[in-house]
Amino acid sequence: GIGQGLALSQSSADGFYDDGSKVPCRGGYAFPAFAAGLRGTPTILMSFLQDLIKAYHGEESSKVSQETARWMLDEEHLVDLGSIDFMGAKAGLGTFVAKAGPNRMMLHQAANDGVRGVYLVCFDGPDKGKGFVIIANGDTPAVFLNSALSVLCLKKLNIQGVDLTRVQNKEDSFDLSHIPQEQIVNLAYN
């Protein structure tokens, strides 16, 4: 269903470090929302992404204009300033875009103190509208939880062009020592 936004004065999930300590609350972030600790729920974010899809296709949208959606998702506006190597997708305004067979997918990863997340939603193609948003509190363990849940979602959604034969148990496939958290997220999610 469609959720209601959380006001900053209301309760929300706390971030936790790998050692179990709580991330000190510094208030809400005001820059790239999802990557920087978006305040809200996965349902709210999915609602926005579904509205972005409507706007992209010229359907009525209460949150985004078609022009904005096109700037965010159209191939002509996408760039690769290292994002192909970094996460296998081109960068748009506020999101990343990748191809999966006949589908075009918007995606993003979140890595902030004590919170990890990922979304992947098809915005164009035969599987338009299919996707997921997963947000978990924690650091490295949350990355592996989100990765496992992403695989389960992809199996259930059966999105054309997604090759699940490339998935392996990545938790045991690389050394995590001395790797920055954002790189751990990329290694696990790619």
Side-chain angles (χ1 to χ4, degrees):
I2 305 296
Q4 297 297 316
L6 292 175
L8 290 179
S9 63
Q10 292 178 320
S11 296
S12 59
D14 294 315
F16 289 90
Y17 296 114
D18 284 348
D19 68 5
S21 63
K22 182 178 163 186
V23 174
C25 181
R26 294 182 303 250
Y29 294 96
F31 55 93
F34 187 66
L38 177 70
R39 291 237 183 210
T41 66
T43 301
I44 292 167
L45 180 55
M46 181 59 95
S47 174
F48 171 77
L49 296 173
Q50 293 295 330
D51 208 60
L52 182 60
I53 294 168
K54 288 178 186 174
Y56 180 81
H57 290 281
E59 300 168 26
E60 187 174 335
S61 167
S62 61
K63 299 176 182 92
V64 183
S65 71
Q66 185 176 29
E67 180 181 14
T68 298
R70 295 278 179 181
W71 271 98
M72 293 175 72
L73 301 169
D74 264 352
E75 184 68 33
E76 67 186 89
H77 301 296
L78 303 178
V79 296
D80 176 18
L81 301 174
S83 60
I84 296 286
D85 288 338
F86 186 63
M87 63 186 293
K90 288 187 176 179
L93 295 177
T95 191
F96 294 90
V97 175
K99 293 181 181 175
N103 291 301
R104 295 184 65 225
M105 313 292 287
M106 59 179 143
L107 59 138
H108 210 307
Q109 306 169 135
N112 203 336
D113 289 346
V115 179
R116 300 294 181 264
V118 61
Y119 72 72
L120 177 75
V121 181
C122 178
F123 69 90
D124 195 30
D127 293 309
K128 180 178 86 170
K130 289 184 179 180
F132 56 87
V133 175
I134 301 169
I135 301 173
N137 54 359
D139 284 330
T140 305
V143 171
F144 295 116
L145 171 66
N146 291 350
S147 295
L149 291 172
S150 295
V151 170
L152 291 173
C153 289
L154 288 168
K155 286 180 180 178
K156 179 74 173 171
L157 293 170
N158 194 30
I159 297 172
Q160 295 177 49
V162 174
D163 181 7
L164 290 173
T165 63
R166 298 177 56 189
V167 176
Q168 60 179 342
N169 183 2
K170 294 186 179 191
E171 187 171 355
D172 298 326
S173 67
F174 53 86
D175 178 15
L176 300 178
S177 62
H178 303 94
I179 298 176
Q181 281 295 318
E182 66 275 7
Q183 191 57 27
I184 291 173
V185 170
N186 289 324
L187 289 169
Y189 293 161
N190 282 331

